[in-house]
Amino acid sequence: MAETSKADGGRLTTHVLDTATGRPANGLSIELYRIERQARTHLKTVVTNDDGRCDAPLLAGADFRTGEYELVFAAGDYLRRHGKLPEPAFLDSVPIRFGMAEPVHYHVPLLISPYGYSTYRGS
């Protein structure tokens, strides 16, 4: 896939909702990686705020590039802090690998519970 950069174009955002409690997942750590030829390059680590969102886009402006990325959500750490989980936990790290083909807004939310998760391309 060809890579592009556009200073004012694309952005990447996420947020996390705890479907077991019906609340935003605050304090959940998320790592962002860029994937190139199966190599993972760590770009940043962020933590969700009280609304389950990041305080700023994960990528925006000159930092945004099309290509393949991976978000790794530390769901197990979050769920352990907010309830009782068996050890080992059914879910621990939740990786979501996705592609961004054009410089537009990509929103990759995560809905989590102790025994399941889902995601989709949001708006």
Side-chain angles (χ1 to χ4, degrees):
M1 172 190 321
E3 171 188 305
T4 63
S5 176
K6 188 171 180 181
D8 59 1
R11 67 186 168 124
L12 172 63
T13 59
T14 187
H15 79 277
V16 186
L17 299 174
D18 181 338
T19 58
T21 64
R23 303 179 60 101
N26 66 323
L28 191 145
S29 180
I30 305 166
E31 295 179 326
L32 173 64
Y33 295 88
R34 180 164 172 82
I35 311 299
E36 294 179 283
R37 294 180 284 288
Q38 298 304 312
R40 293 169 76 211
T41 302
H42 181 261
L43 300 179
K44 65 174 62 176
T45 300
V46 297
V47 177
T48 57
N49 60 25
D50 288 343
D51 195 32
R53 298 177 184 274
C54 302
D55 290 330
L58 296 168
L59 295 173
D63 291 333
F64 182 92
R65 292 181 8 203
T66 59
E68 191 174 4
Y69 290 84
E70 184 175 69
L71 290 170
V72 179
F73 297 85
D77 292 344
Y78 165 82
L79 292 166
R80 281 183 200 91
R81 284 194 313 275
H82 292 87
K84 194 173 193 178
L85 282 182
E87 287 300 332
F90 181 71
L91 292 176
D92 201 356
S93 294
V94 175
I96 300 173
R97 192 170 282 195
F98 57 96
M100 298 189 299
E102 54 188 310
V104 296
H105 182 195
Y106 289 84
H107 184 66
V108 182
L110 179 69
L111 308 175
I112 61 165
S113 75
Y115 297 100
Y117 69 91
S118 65
T119 189
Y120 55 94
R121 180 175 173 190
S123 59

